[in-house]
Amino acid sequence: MVTFASFRSSKPGALRFAVSVAVPLALAVASAGCGFGGSRDGGNAAPASAVSVPQRAANESDLAEYQWQVQLATRADGSALAMLQADADRQVRVDFRHRRMAFSGGANTVSVDYRLEGARIVAVGDGFETTLIGTSQERAQAIDDALLRYLKPPFRQRLHGSGATQRLHLTGADGTTLVLQTADAPYGAKGEDVSLEIAAVPRTCSVGCAPLNPPAPNCVSARRLHWVDDRPQPASAWFDLPLHVFDGPRPRPGRRQVLQTRHYPSLSGQACSLGVYRVEEIADVAALAQIAAQGDTVAAPAQP
């Protein structure tokens, strides 16, 4: 469970508790992959088919349109930077919104203002900033140490492909290389950020492509929220959602909660599908500070 401060910290305009750190940072590119397997002529035959992936230097809009996840991280000699590579539990994320590079994935977020000079990302200012969150988790500490040690601008950058499945290649000043994909890539399409309020009492409903017969209390009542001065305000009427639409932690019965999600349209193409809600953050409504409670949400009229 997260607190009000951490739940809202990912939103534009949230307070950033940071201190300047005169530590250069590092990020990276990836070398072109090579296939495996042989042919009867000793491996000299051309592949049966080859697809040319468009490449270009990214502009600020390209970088800010998505949140990025590090998939591959290597040193200049090609050896793996294990602490920066993705696994089932953690991924290093890079955000370029508001002309600021922000690296997260350990206990803290390291960030710096930037500008583009052609195909180069150049740091602006005298040093980086880092949040000062303490942790006893050794893995999180190791990721923080790796970010501070290996992230060194300027970076050479290039986009491969387009849309949600494109990849961003970064090359650091010391030869460290990174390959990043969009956070939407596993879903094949661009998602929409959606805040939801979930009512405490489970519901019996029959919605989606696989309703139970007979219906069981496997649904929740939800409504969309928008944020005004870091306070949630209702933005829709209540509607039913089956629990199977949530990817990640699910709402807990008996607790009124606010979920920060990323909503994706139907992955199967079926008209009956409600899509997928990837849950990124979750908090009890009672834990969200400075909310003037009235009824189910706050003292504010629903917005159209």
Side-chain angles (χ1 to χ4, degrees):
M1 207 60 59
V2 298
T3 65
F4 174 78
S6 63
F7 187 83
R8 295 296 300 141
S9 63
S10 62
K11 291 295 177 184
L15 293 178
R16 182 169 58 241
F17 297 93
V19 61
S20 291
V21 175
V23 179
L25 290 189
L27 250 318
V29 131
S31 53
C34 43
F36 59 90
S39 61
R40 295 186 179 181
D41 64 354
N44 295 322
S49 63
V51 177
S52 177
V53 178
Q55 302 181 27
R56 61 186 175 87
N59 57 40
E60 289 183 358
S61 296
D62 295 324
L63 296 175
E65 184 175 5
Y66 294 95
Q67 188 177 60
W68 302 86
Q69 299 173 331
V70 174
Q71 294 298 295
L72 177 66
T74 58
R75 299 179 180 87
D77 63 4
S79 60
L81 275 170
M83 286 300 103
L84 300 184
Q85 295 195 147
D87 64 14
D89 298 318
R90 289 184 180 271
Q91 288 183 314
V92 172
R93 292 195 171 192
V94 186
D95 192 294
F96 291 92
R97 286 176 294 183
H98 313 299
R99 297 185 180 180
R100 188 171 187 86
M101 297 180 70
F103 308 94
S104 60
N108 289 280
T109 297
V110 179
S111 59
V112 64
D113 293 329
Y114 79 91
R115 69 173 182 269
L116 291 180
E117 294 182 353
R120 297 170 74 243
I121 298 175
V122 179
V124 175
D126 297 330
F128 291 85
E129 293 181 344
T130 179
T131 54
L132 298 176
I133 300 173
T135 180
S136 59
Q137 296 181 359
E138 189 170 345
R139 175 78 189 280
Q141 292 175 351
I143 292 173
D144 285 354
D145 292 343
L147 289 172
L148 291 170
R149 179 178 179 182
Y150 291 105
L151 300 175
K152 297 178 181 178
F155 309 111
R156 297 196 309 274
Q157 54 88 3
R158 184 161 293 275
L159 280 175
H160 291 242
S162 60
T165 58
Q166 66 189 315
R167 290 198 166 190
L168 175 64
H169 291 219
L170 298 176
T171 306
D174 65 351
T176 305
T177 64
L178 290 180
V179 179
L180 300 90
Q181 71 173 21
T182 73
D184 293 332
Y187 301 87
K190 187 174 182 179
E192 174 193 8
D193 288 328
V194 174
S195 294
L196 293 174
E197 178 185 1
I198 305 298
V201 181
R203 289 179 55 81
T204 298
C205 69
S206 182
V207 294
C209 296
L212 296 180
N213 188 19
N218 65 331
C219 292
V220 294
S221 281
R223 63 176 168 186
R224 290 193 173 208
L225 303 174
H226 71 144
W227 296 83
V228 177
D229 296 329
D230 283 341
R231 298 183 183 185
Q233 307 286 332
S236 79
W238 292 97
F239 58 94
D240 290 337
L241 282 177
L243 289 175
H244 64 70
V245 303
F246 295 107
D247 193 359
R250 291 182 174 181
R252 298 181 62 178
R255 299 170 73 165
R256 231 175 83 223
Q257 296 182 308
V258 173
L259 277 59
Q260 184 61 36
T261 75
R262 186 88 168 155
H263 181 234
Y264 298 90
S266 171
L267 305 184
S268 62
Q270 295 177 280
C272 55
S273 171
L274 302 174
V276 175
Y277 289 83
R278 186 184 75 207
V279 179
E280 298 182 336
E281 294 178 291
I282 185 168
D284 288 343
V285 170
L288 299 181
Q290 298 178 350
I291 294 178
Q294 178 178 327
D296 288 311
T297 310
V298 293
Q303 301 298 310

